[in-house]
Amino acid sequence: MASPAASRGGVMPRVLSGLQEALCRLPGVGPKSAQRMAYHLLQHDRAGATQLAAALQHALTDLRHCRRCNTFSETELCERCASPHRDATRLCVVETPIDMNMLEQTQAYQGLYYVLMGRVSPLDGMPPQALALEKLVERVADEKVEEVILATNYTNEGEATAHYLSALLANKGVTVSRLARGVPVGGELEFVDPGTLAQALRERIGYSCAARSPGKTP
């Protein structure tokens, strides 16, 4: 621990500095935010700090990758992959477990998933080879998959990933589709940006007055 003189001189104890640096590794957390978090945990919520440390250690020790979809799981197969009620003919490819959770919240998809745990981004040290795509190809070849839905983000890296996967799966005997882009539900055209509106025009679909079946989900 730093001496009182060092503390008066404004030198932070090395242990506290290490905690702050560790908190800075979290996305969106800068030095000032990390400092506030560190002082809050140490001064006002030591029980919470202990709980946080234990939960993090527990996750690091007990979580693994599901051998089928590659998401985080406590067991060899995650709950979704083990369920007999999912549609095994559809496989949705996402970048992260968070993306998968967002799709699940829609309650509009009952198929299975494959989580890339990243995206093609050579500038960030993430070439296609780093994504273990051979597991995805093996799964498409070995299982009864009929459609692969590319649900990567509509960023430059996400688009590059979707393009690469589309080429990789071109001759695998499956339908490859991409999430649609366009006007959001409840959106008004005057508030939609030109790029999104242009994409909505290019990806327009047929429309009729016949009501679509509300109970059918992909």
Side-chain angles (χ1 to χ4, degrees), residues 19-165:
L19 174 58
Q20 181 177 326
E21 290 176 7
L23 290 169
C24 277
R25 299 180 71 92
L26 295 171
V29 176
K32 288 189 176 181
S33 295
Q35 182 174 278
R36 286 195 298 270
M37 290 179 187
Y39 279 115
H40 171 78
L41 290 170
L42 293 173
Q43 185 175 356
H44 301 293
D45 193 9
R46 282 184 170 261
T50 301
Q51 181 183 3
L52 177 61
L56 183 58
Q57 184 60 50
H58 181 58
L60 290 172
T61 302
D62 294 345
L63 283 179
R64 67 186 79 176
H65 290 288
C66 171
R67 68 172 173 81
R68 195 176 183 195
C69 74
N70 205 39
T71 193
F72 293 120
S73 175
E74 294 183 72
T75 54
E76 187 178 11
L77 274 183
C78 71
E79 186 176 339
R80 293 185 185 92
C81 287
S83 172
H85 305 297
R86 308 291 298 205
D87 182 359
T89 66
R90 289 189 171 91
L91 185 65
C92 185
V93 181
V94 296
E95 294 181 18
T96 68
I98 294 175
D99 297 335
M100 179 177 66
N101 292 340
M102 291 301 297
L103 287 169
E104 282 292 281
Q105 288 177 27
T106 68
Q107 299 184 3
Y109 177 71
Q110 296 300 321
L112 295 172
Y113 294 92
Y114 187 81
V115 183
L116 297 173
M117 291 294 179
R119 57 193 178 184
V120 175
S121 183
L123 293 178
D124 297 321
M126 188 68 72
Q129 296 77 14
L131 297 179
L133 298 178
E134 65 277 1
K135 289 177 61 178
L136 171 62
V137 175
E138 290 173 3
R139 185 170 173 188
V140 170
D142 296 342
E143 300 183 17
K144 54 181 180 180
V145 177
E146 297 176 4
E147 179 185 9
V148 175
I149 304 169
L150 302 179
T152 54
N153 294 318
Y154 275 104
T155 59
N156 289 336
E157 296 83 1
E159 288 280 48
T161 304
H163 180 77
Y164 186 88
L165 290 175

